[in-house]
Amino acid sequence: MSADITPSRSRRFRAYMTEMSFNGAVGLMRLIGPAQASHVGAKLAGFIGPFLSSTRTGMQNLAIAFPDMEDRERKQVVRGAWNNLGRVIGEFSHLRNFARTSSGPGWEIAGEEHIAAAWRNGQPPIFFSAHVGNWEMILPIAGALGLPVSGVYRAASNPIVERLVQGIRDEAGNGTSMFPKGSRGARSIVGHMASGGTVGLLVDQKMNDGIAVPFFGRDAWTAPALAQLAMRFQRDIVPIRVVRLGAARFQLICEPALTITKTGERAADELSIMKLVNAHVERWVKEEPHQWLWFHRRWPKHEATATSR
C-alpha cells in the first residue's frame, strides 16, 4: 500500500462510497415515484432472488408448511415472495410519503374499531404482526393514527447502512420510534411501556433462545417477549398486518384482541398466548402465502433436512 493510502483513509473512502450509493439509490427511487419504484424492486428481486441460497431455504420452509403442495406451486410461491420483497425494498424510499387514501399509492384500514376496543384503563394494547405484505408500513401508519407505538429492529451489520435505513424509518414514523434488539432495547421498551406507550412486534422469525411453539404443526422457536410484556403491563394484544393490494397500495387489517385464559402459572400462560399468536400468523400465511417472507429459517435445521430427503 502506498504512503498516500492509509488504512483509515481507505475505510473513509469505502464509507463515503457506501453512503453515496445508498443515497443515490434512494434518490432514484424517489424520483421515479412509488408505484414505479415498487415495480423496479420487484423486477430486480425476481431476477436476482432465484440465484441466492435464500431460495433453497424458502423451498424447504414451504415443504415443512405445505407438505402436500406440488413442487411447481412452491416455486410459484417463492417467486411471489421475491416479488413482494422487492416491492418492499423499492417502496422503502417512499415511506414518508404514503398517506391514508381511498385509492392509488397509500393505505387504508379494515377493523380500526378493534384498536379502540382494546384500550384498557387508558392504556393502549400491544400489537403483533409478521413479515407479511409491507411490514415497514406498520409504524408509519401507527404514527399517522396517533398511536404511541414503538418497534424493535435488528441492527444491520454495516453501521453506515444501519444509520441511513434508520434515518428513513425515523422520518416516516410520525413520532414513533424503534428500539434495537438486545438488553439495551429491552430496557427502553420497559420504560416506554411504563410511561404509557406500547409496542408492535414482528413475531414470525426464529429465536434460538425462545420457547418451542407449534407453527404449521411443527415446533418453532418463538420469542415470548410479546406474552411477557402483555402480562407484566396488563395489556390486551391486537393482531395486525399490512397486506399488499397492489404496487405501493396497502391495507392495514386489525383483528379483535386475543381472548386469553390465564392460569397464573407464568410459563404455561406464556406458551398459551404464543400458541394463539402463532396460530394467527399461520392463518395469515395460508391466506397470502406469496406475501410472507419465506427466506428466514423458521424451523430447526433438522426439520428442513428431513423434508428434503
Side-chain angles (χ1 to χ4, degrees):
M1 182 178 291
S2 71
D4 292 331
I5 306 178
T6 64
S8 61
R9 190 173 293 179
S10 177
R11 284 194 296 270
R12 288 197 299 270
F13 177 74
R14 289 197 300 270
Y16 172 77
M17 292 304 298
T18 298
E19 185 162 357
M20 288 293 291
S21 299
F22 184 93
N23 287 333
V26 169
L28 176 62
M29 288 299 185
R30 287 177 174 172
L31 184 65
I32 64 177
Q36 191 60 33
S38 179
H39 291 315
V40 169
K43 287 185 179 297
L44 287 174
F47 176 75
I48 297 171
F51 297 101
L52 302 179
S53 61
S54 301
T55 290
R56 182 181 179 187
T57 300
M59 291 292 288
Q60 291 172 339
N61 284 338
L62 274 160
I64 294 172
F66 300 109
D68 297 328
M69 181 181 286
E70 293 184 1
D71 192 63
R72 173 182 55 82
E73 189 175 355
R74 289 178 190 152
K75 290 179 180 178
Q76 290 176 347
V77 172
V78 168
R79 282 197 296 270
W82 277 120
N83 180 290
N84 183 69
L85 178 58
R87 290 187 184 279
V88 171
I89 295 171
E91 293 155 354
F92 188 72
S93 302
H94 295 275
L95 284 184
R96 65 182 184 182
N97 298 321
F98 289 125
R100 189 172 188 172
T101 62
S102 58
S103 62
W107 49 273
E108 59 191 65
I109 301 180
E112 187 175 0
E113 68 276 7
H114 299 309
I115 299 176
W119 284 64
R120 184 190 299 182
N121 299 321
Q123 301 294 308
I126 294 177
F127 301 91
F128 76 86
S129 191
H131 291 83
V132 174
N134 191 332
W135 56 90
E136 290 286 353
M137 285 298 302
I138 293 172
L139 286 187
I141 293 175
L145 296 174
L147 296 169
V149 181
S150 290
V152 177
Y153 69 93
R154 186 193 304 273
S157 57
N158 187 315
I160 297 169
V161 172
E162 174 62 28
R163 173 173 58 82
L164 296 170
V165 166
Q166 287 305 119
I168 291 177
R169 286 171 172 161
D170 288 344
E171 69 177 1
N174 294 302
T176 61
S177 58
M178 296 195 75
F179 302 121
K181 283 191 173 183
S183 58
R184 181 168 63 89
R187 289 192 298 270
S188 298
I189 289 171
V190 169
H192 175 65
M193 294 196 64
S195 62
T198 190
V199 291
L201 302 179
L202 297 173
V203 297
D204 58 334
Q205 291 196 327
K206 181 185 175 187
M207 183 177 181
N208 290 330
D209 57 350
I211 60 176
V213 183
F215 187 55
F216 281 93
R218 308 281 185 99
D219 279 345
W221 293 109
T222 303
L226 179 81
Q228 292 168 349
L229 289 169
M231 291 191 294
R232 176 171 179 172
F233 291 97
Q234 295 298 300
R235 304 287 184 89
D236 281 347
I237 301 175
V238 172
I240 62 171
R241 68 192 191 276
V242 178
V243 298
R244 177 175 302 285
L245 301 181
R249 182 71 192 169
F250 321 104
Q251 183 183 57
L252 174 69
I253 301 178
C254 309
E255 300 183 14
L258 300 184
T259 301
I260 300 169
T261 302
K262 296 179 182 178
T263 66
E265 206 284 305
R266 178 179 173 180
D269 289 344
E270 283 182 11
L271 178 59
S272 177
I273 291 171
M274 297 315 300
K275 281 182 176 180
L276 288 173
V277 169
N278 274 10
H280 274 72
V281 176
E282 181 176 325
R283 172 169 54 81
W284 297 343
V285 175
K286 288 177 177 177
E287 290 177 1
E288 301 283 354
H290 58 288
Q291 290 198 29
W292 192 51
L293 191 66
W294 288 96
F295 310 120
H296 174 83
R297 193 174 293 285
R298 185 65 185 91
W299 292 271
K301 194 170 184 178
H302 67 81
E303 295 280 8
T305 303
T307 58
S308 62
R309 288 172 183 167

